[in-house]
Amino acid sequence: MEIPFIDLKSQYELISEKIKGSIDVVLGHGNFINGPEVTEFETNLKSYTSVKHAITCANGTDALAIALLALKIQPHDAVFVPSFTYIASAESIALVGGVPYFVDVGEDYNICSKSLEIAIDDAKKNNHNPRIVIPVDLFGKPSICGELDELIDNFNLETIYDAAQSFGSSHNQIKIGNFGDITTTSFFPAKPLGCYGDGGAIFTNNDELAKVIRSIKNHGMGNHKYEHINIGMNSRLDTIQAAVLNEKIKLLHDEIIQRNEIARYYNDGLSDSNLILPKLSNTNSYAWAQYTVRHVDRDKIIEFLQSKNIPSAIYYPIPLNEQDAYKSCNVVSSGLGNTEKFCKEVFSLPMSPYLKKEHQDYIISTLNSKW
């Protein structure tokens, strides 16, 4: 029995002819940069999310950097980010000259409001200006919550929601992309909406921010290609990738439903195990980029799963503040207890909208047999 960790093949088989046809159209007209498919995809993103502005770019990391530049980040500005996430969330801050502050996460793996409040006080004591918070929607669960919103308002922070893993999710029936000043996402192939290469997008309901973002992503361009009014970068979604995404976004609504059903089936089937399972929601729809569980004997479990031909993955084994490149960055003075624990305990099981029931039953029964 071969179980794919993320099943991209089944999805491709479903829409392969449409994908090939869309790519052939691009090859025919030859507009490989800023072709009509890019405009079409941005329109599809706006329609899906109901966000006023959806602006594509080359990848999710660029999306974060562009968002920070659009908010006019300054050298002494503190930007707060979880230490338990992928490197891109912190990398973007350092690249544009902000001051990264690593914050702990809560039991849901998203940014901890109490830890954030302490970090804000730390920044002030260090003569840094608390400016921006980047809540990361880890594993596909939105970070939005009342406690975080209140904190952001009280300290007059600007927000960039990193929705690289949560695109397609909803909070109170409002699609991700509508919260905070800016939301960014990634279309890396393994994401809930993935292309066949790299891609990203930036969302905002602010007209002025949208104008600046469009300039920054295209060399800081003004009214024409040889006028430059902002410090910019070259970050454009390829037309061929847009053509792929125009076909794949048509599946996203049903795929998100299926992801939630699979997560619920996992939770029901593993409810008697000793694993710490993710919490589900009856009101909010998650993207379930990963289905992640915890156990103190994580490494033994992974070895056991490997012996049974069940793939798994660890997101993430090293806190960002312990990475060599970021050891000199600021860490919240109250510590990163949850982050350090989770890095030793978390592991993810196969998850995709096309995960076969027989495969899921095998995974569940195998885990229940020993753990």
Side-chain angles (χ1 to χ4, degrees):
M1 179 181 293
E2 184 177 351
I3 303 174
F5 183 72
I6 297 174
D7 187 358
L8 298 178
K9 183 179 178 181
S10 293
Q11 184 197 56
Y12 176 69
E13 290 174 347
L14 186 66
I15 56 172
S16 61
E17 293 307 313
K18 293 179 179 179
I19 292 286
K20 292 173 184 175
S22 296
I23 292 174
D24 280 345
V25 171
V26 178
L27 296 176
H29 64 56
N31 294 319
F32 301 118
I33 302 294
N34 292 331
E37 286 78 7
V38 177
T39 302
E40 180 186 352
F41 181 54
E42 291 186 345
T43 299
N44 287 335
L45 288 173
K46 288 191 290 184
S47 177
Y48 182 85
T49 60
S50 298
V51 180
K52 192 171 184 181
H53 302 281
I55 304 162
T56 56
C57 61
N59 55 70
T61 309
D62 280 4
L64 288 165
I66 292 165
L68 287 162
L69 290 170
L71 293 177
K72 302 188 185 308
I73 188 76
Q74 298 297 310
H76 290 286
D77 287 343
V79 184
F80 306 97
V81 66
S83 185
F84 187 57
T85 182
Y86 186 58
I87 196 66
S89 304
E91 186 176 49
S92 57
I93 303 167
L95 282 170
V96 300
V99 182
Y101 269 78
F102 290 116
V103 181
D104 206 5
V105 295
E107 286 293 321
D108 64 352
Y109 308 119
N110 288 340
I111 196 165
C112 172
S113 297
K114 292 180 181 177
S115 181
L116 173 59
E117 186 168 10
I118 295 168
I120 292 168
D121 188 53
D122 290 346
K124 292 178 179 177
K125 291 176 181 176
N126 293 333
N127 294 318
H128 291 138
N129 177 34
R131 268 285 315 275
I132 299 169
V133 58
I134 302 180
V136 180
D137 299 345
L138 208 64
F139 306 140
K141 177 187 180 298
S143 303
I144 300 103
C145 69
E147 190 176 3
L148 180 60
D149 287 343
E150 184 178 353
L151 194 60
I152 289 167
D153 289 341
N154 287 345
F155 288 95
N156 197 30
L157 298 175
E158 292 166 294
T159 50
I160 301 170
Y161 278 95
D162 182 347
Q165 297 181 12
S166 69
F167 186 75
S169 296
S170 301
H171 177 77
N172 292 338
Q173 299 183 335
I174 299 172
K175 283 286 195 300
I176 293 307
N178 285 282
F179 300 93
D181 296 285
I182 299 173
T183 298
T184 66
T185 197
S186 166
F187 302 123
F188 182 79
K191 303 298 184 186
L193 178 61
C195 54
Y196 293 157
D198 274 317
I202 307 161
F203 302 86
T204 185
N205 286 308
N206 183 304
D207 293 343
E208 286 304 311
L209 277 178
K211 185 177 180 181
V212 175
I213 289 166
R214 288 194 181 279
S215 169
I216 290 170
K217 63 162 271 186
N218 197 12
H219 298 291
M221 193 167 68
N223 292 323
H224 58 80
K225 68 182 292 185
Y226 297 115
E227 178 189 35
H228 307 279
I229 58 176
N230 293 293
I231 300 296
M233 55 199 298
N234 178 20
S235 186
R236 298 173 296 216
L237 180 68
D238 291 342
T239 306
I240 285 178
Q241 299 301 340
V244 170
L245 288 162
N246 279 326
E247 295 301 331
K248 294 185 71 172
I249 197 171
K250 298 172 186 176
L251 306 176
L252 186 59
H253 175 77
D254 290 340
E255 288 184 347
I256 293 294
I257 292 173
Q258 189 61 23
R259 285 177 181 272
N260 280 272
E261 291 177 356
I262 289 169
R264 190 166 288 109
Y265 194 78
Y266 265 136
N267 268 38
D268 290 344
L270 295 170
S271 60
D272 292 329
S273 71
N274 292 319
L275 300 172
I276 299 175
L277 307 177
K279 287 184 170 61
L280 306 179
S281 172
N282 292 323
T283 56
N284 296 323
S285 176
Y286 302 159
W288 296 104
Q290 287 86 31
Y291 179 84
T292 301
V293 299
R294 299 202 323 262
H295 196 283
V296 292
D297 289 327
R298 187 260 312 275
D299 294 343
K300 291 181 180 178
I301 296 176
I302 288 178
E303 186 178 350
F304 174 67
L305 291 174
Q306 287 175 339
S307 72
K308 302 296 182 180
N309 296 316
I310 297 174
S312 62
I314 299 173
Y315 304 97
Y316 297 92
I318 305 173
L320 295 193
N321 61 289
E322 293 182 12
Q323 301 283 353
D324 285 346
Y326 296 86
K327 284 183 177 179
S328 62
C329 293
N330 303 275
V331 178
V332 61
S333 58
S334 57
L336 299 167
N338 280 342
T339 294
E340 292 166 2
K341 179 174 70 171
F342 296 164
C343 285
K344 296 174 183 176
E345 295 182 356
V346 297
F347 65 102
S348 300
L349 299 174
M351 165 58 81
S352 81
Y354 305 96
L355 181 62
K356 295 178 180 178
K357 183 64 70 67
E358 65 187 87
H359 290 168
Q360 198 173 10
D361 284 336
Y362 176 66
I363 295 165
I364 290 169
S365 63
T366 300
L367 284 166
N368 283 333
S369 71
K370 192 166 182 178
W371 305 98

